[in-house]
Amino acid sequence: KRGRPVLIVRLGTLDLNVAERGGVTVAMLLRRHFRTLNSVEAAVDASQDAMGGHLLVQDLSGCTIAKFLRARAFFRAMLNVDQSYSPELLGNLICINAPRLAVFALEQLKPWIDPVTFAKVRLVRGDPSVTLSEVLPPPCAAEALRYLDNTRDQGRTTDV
């Protein structure tokens, strides 16, 4: 058995205008999301505490109000998929490097989020190291922070 699965996503870099110009559609993004959920489900099933779910860390660096508004339909579709097909997978969701608009964005999405799921969400402004240390063992928290630092300028969405 393995420890708790951690998924780190650089959600703040998502720009649907750029993606669409490159031929990427919302349907393609949702298919990728389904594939990621299947991988997360396998990792959660193989973990020591399958009922504890996974830790999802969303790095919101680079998110703007314009990017959020353009992607709002995608976020709603993604939430629908998560809550309809795999609500038990999420242990905690920590949104780090949250800009001021994150509170607004979360309020916009709240009607589509189950209250039990919503209670698992934390917005972190400023240094995320304390929050990550609260939910991960120290070596894992340090590795997650190193990963975030090393990929900051790459603008990619990846799981760890």
Side-chain angles (χ1 to χ4, degrees):
K1 293 280 183 178
R2 300 179 61 139
R4 180 183 198 184
V6 178
L7 181 69
I8 299 175
V9 179
R10 290 202 169 279
L11 197 58
T13 62
L14 177 64
D15 188 330
L16 281 184
N17 275 353
V18 172
E20 288 171 354
R21 283 194 303 268
V24 177
T25 66
V26 169
M28 292 166 80
L29 292 172
L30 286 173
R31 279 195 302 273
R32 178 183 172 115
H33 183 64
F34 267 116
R35 284 193 309 270
T36 300
L37 283 178
N38 288 336
S39 297
V40 168
E41 183 175 18
V44 167
D45 288 345
S47 71
Q48 294 172 354
D49 181 15
M51 297 306 290
H54 75 292
L55 170 62
L56 175 57
V57 178
Q58 292 182 340
D59 185 351
L60 302 179
S61 297
C63 189
T64 64
I65 191 75
K67 284 181 184 177
F68 169 75
L69 290 174
R70 283 190 299 266
R72 194 169 40 184
F74 169 65
F75 294 140
R76 279 195 302 242
M78 197 168 59
L79 285 167
N80 186 44
V81 166
D82 293 353
Q83 293 182 129
S84 297
Y85 300 102
S86 56
E88 72 286 351
L89 286 182
L90 182 65
N92 297 95
L93 167 58
I94 300 176
C95 299
I96 62 170
N97 300 316
R100 292 180 199 265
L101 76 96
V103 174
F104 164 76
L106 197 55
E107 287 302 316
Q108 294 294 305
L109 295 172
K110 187 175 181 177
W112 289 276
I113 302 174
D114 177 79
V116 174
T117 302
F118 191 79
K120 299 175 184 183
V121 178
R122 291 173 64 184
L123 287 179
V124 178
R125 299 201 52 203
D127 183 7
S129 60
V130 172
T131 303
L132 290 176
S133 296
E134 291 171 1
V135 295
L136 291 171
C140 296
E143 183 179 344
L145 289 167
R146 271 192 309 277
Y147 172 80
L148 287 164
D149 285 341
N150 291 338
T151 61
R152 183 158 323 276
D153 297 324
Q154 296 175 14
R156 61 182 183 176
T157 301
T158 308
D159 53 333
V160 174

